[in-house]
Amino acid sequence: MIKKYLGLQSFLLFVGLFLLIGTYFYYPNLKKNEVNEDDEILEELDKNLEEQRTSFRNVEYQGYNLENPFVIKSEEAYILNDNAPNMIHMVKMHLILYLKDGKEIEIVSDKGKFNKITNDCFFESNVLATESLGETTISADNLNLLSTSSTAEIFNNVNLFNHEGSFLKADKIEYD
């Protein structure tokens, strides 16, 4: 009977050692190989994407948003050669909207998109919108200035500051 337990204990010890070695030595190396293969695939996709786009530097567009003239600038822009050739992807996006009452709205962001047909603007990452007189400043993660629907949508970590010291924090603000 002791021989049975000794055989069973030896088998369990062998299985335990096998699992321990597999867990701490073999499995991490297996994951590293998968990650390396994923990195190679992503690099290939980036290379293909780079070949399928048209790039520009120091871009400036001028147009009208609801009869208000605007200028939109970007340090770097590109058009993906896909089904949306009118969508301009921009880096360091900067828009100045000239209002009829003489005020200007200035919007800057790290990146965004501009539809050159509809004049819709989609600002992303570190968005800051200020009025020319400095009365109101808005910061957020995203701002969509939609010429097609005459609205502005500001969302994700919205902070609105007024020159009088007022402060508003919101998830989403919509201007019509």
Side-chain angles (χ1 to χ4, degrees):
M1 188 129 168
I2 293 177
K3 289 183 182 183
K4 280 186 176 179
Y5 289 124
L6 188 59
L8 181 61
Q9 287 177 344
S10 298
F11 175 73
L12 290 175
L13 181 63
F14 175 73
V15 169
L17 286 173
F18 177 75
L19 290 174
L20 183 71
I21 290 170
T23 301
Y24 289 104
F25 297 107
Y26 178 71
Y27 186 72
N29 289 333
L30 182 66
K31 283 292 185 186
K32 285 180 185 176
N33 291 339
E34 288 178 12
V35 169
N36 289 339
E37 289 173 7
D38 290 345
D39 287 344
E40 290 173 9
I41 291 169
L42 288 174
E43 286 176 12
E44 186 67 29
L45 286 174
D46 286 343
K47 184 178 177 184
N48 289 340
L49 183 63
E50 190 73 32
E51 292 171 359
Q52 295 178 7
R53 71 181 192 185
T54 304
S55 298
F56 306 98
R57 297 229 182 257
N58 300 319
V59 175
E60 181 175 314
Y61 286 96
Q62 297 180 1
Y64 287 89
N65 184 340
L66 301 174
E67 300 178 11
N68 294 316
F70 72 88
V71 175
I72 188 164
K73 300 176 184 179
S74 175
E75 290 180 8
E76 183 180 333
Y78 56 93
I79 301 171
L80 296 178
N81 297 330
D82 59 1
N83 295 335
N86 297 319
M87 190 65 72
I88 311 298
H89 299 262
M90 299 181 154
V91 177
K92 299 293 182 190
M93 197 168 170
H94 181 206
L95 172 106
I96 301 174
L97 179 63
Y98 302 96
L99 302 178
K100 292 177 184 176
D101 61 0
K103 293 181 182 179
E104 296 176 4
I105 305 294
E106 187 173 352
I107 305 171
V108 295
S109 70
D110 290 346
K111 62 182 179 176
K113 293 179 270 192
F114 170 66
N115 187 317
K116 62 184 182 179
I117 300 297
T118 64
N119 291 333
D120 290 343
C121 298
F122 306 92
F123 297 88
E124 303 171 13
S125 185
N126 296 319
V127 179
L128 185 64
T130 56
E131 188 179 3
S132 60
L133 301 176
E135 292 179 3
T136 306
T137 302
I138 300 173
S139 66
D141 291 340
N142 301 87
L143 186 149
N144 295 341
L145 187 60
L146 305 174
S147 182
T148 53
S149 63
S150 306
T151 60
E153 300 172 340
I154 308 160
F155 52 100
N156 296 332
N157 299 317
V158 179
N159 295 300
L160 186 137
F161 305 94
N162 188 299
H163 75 288
E164 296 172 351
S166 299
F167 175 76
L168 173 70
K169 191 172 186 98
D171 293 325
K172 185 175 184 178
I173 296 175
E174 290 186 24
Y175 284 110
D176 187 16

